[in-house]
């Protein structure tokens, strides 16, 4: 897992004991200012679901024709929320950051897995989500839906202008 400074309870460095509530796995993606967009989304998630368990983010090629690489982050947390409520929460996060324009996706939030219903989202087989899911839950390898072979690489955020001096 990858450590990232967040408010509140922070980010555990390893999964603890099985939670009382079922696991929820979300995928966060962006191809517009990901170094701002994704930490913003993680902060919002922490406000409702801390602690979060976060896989190392990866960058994938843009397979939709937008010509910009996507940064993808897998986040897991226990929650007793129902699928509909989780989906509505995800869509609200997306809407707060802005609309998609010409292949540019400021924030895409996908519900990848919900243990309460043992339901996998169709995108969970994408290599950029699979890699994060398997970082967090390596024992789920045989439970994941079939995957693709899109190339991915680790992602490191660009330093902010203040950090560059």
């Amino acid at each position: 897992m990858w450590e990232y400074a967040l408010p509140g309870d922070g980010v555990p460095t390893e999964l603890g004991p099985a939670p009382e509530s079922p696991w929820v796995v979300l995928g966060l993606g962006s191809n517009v200012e990901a170094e701002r967009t994704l930490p913003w989304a993680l902060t919002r998630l922490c406000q409702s679901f801390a602690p979060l368990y976060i896989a190392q983010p990866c960058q994938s090629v843009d397979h939709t024709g937008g010509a910009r690489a996507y940064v993808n982050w897998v986040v897991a947390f226990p929650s007793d929320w129902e699928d509909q409520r989780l989906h509505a929460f995800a869509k609200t996060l997306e809407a707060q950051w802005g609309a998609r324009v010409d292949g540019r996706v400021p924030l895409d939030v996908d519900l990848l897995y919900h243990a309460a219903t043992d339901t996998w989202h169709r995108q969970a087989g994408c290599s950029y989500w699979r890699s994060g899911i398997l970082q967090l839950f390596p024992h789920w390898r045989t439970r994941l839906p079939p995957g693709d072979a899109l190339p991915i690489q680790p992602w490191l955020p660009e330093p902010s202008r203040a950090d560059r001096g």
Side-chain angles (χ1 to χ4, degrees):
M1 275 182 278
W2 195 62
E3 292 189 47
Y4 194 84
L6 290 171
D9 292 341
V11 181
T13 56
E14 60 184 50
L15 294 175
E20 291 180 23
S21 298
W23 284 111
V24 171
V25 181
L26 294 182
L28 307 176
S30 175
N31 72 345
V32 178
E33 297 181 347
E35 37 301 299
R36 286 187 31 204
T37 307
L38 297 179
W40 175 88
L42 287 172
T43 299
R44 296 304 172 275
L45 286 169
C46 273
Q47 292 169 351
S48 296
F49 302 109
L52 299 178
Y53 299 87
I54 304 171
Q56 179 178 353
C58 68
Q59 187 168 312
S60 61
V61 296
D62 176 22
H63 58 281
T64 63
R68 292 185 58 105
Y70 279 81
V71 176
N72 301 288
W73 228 338
V74 173
V75 180
F77 52 87
S79 175
D80 56 1
W81 286 19
E82 295 177 0
D83 281 355
Q84 244 180 339
R85 187 174 178 194
L86 287 163
H87 185 72
F89 181 82
K91 295 307 157 199
T92 298
L93 282 179
E94 289 178 352
Q96 287 174 339
W97 194 261
R100 300 169 186 224
V101 179
D102 297 329
R104 296 171 56 89
V105 181
L107 181 61
D108 184 27
V109 182
D110 292 325
L111 176 58
L112 299 175
Y113 178 71
H114 192 201
T117 58
D118 197 27
T119 303
W120 290 98
H121 184 280
R122 63 181 173 77
Q123 288 186 321
C126 294
S127 58
Y128 46 87
W129 296 139
R130 287 175 64 87
S131 68
I133 292 167
L134 291 174
Q135 284 177 47
L136 296 175
F137 304 99
H139 58 285
W140 285 5
R141 183 172 301 280
T142 58
R143 297 182 59 212
L144 281 170
D148 63 31
L150 286 175
I152 60 171
Q153 60 189 27
W155 175 74
L156 298 172
E158 296 279 327
S160 70
R161 289 186 182 135
D163 293 339
R164 286 184 249 171

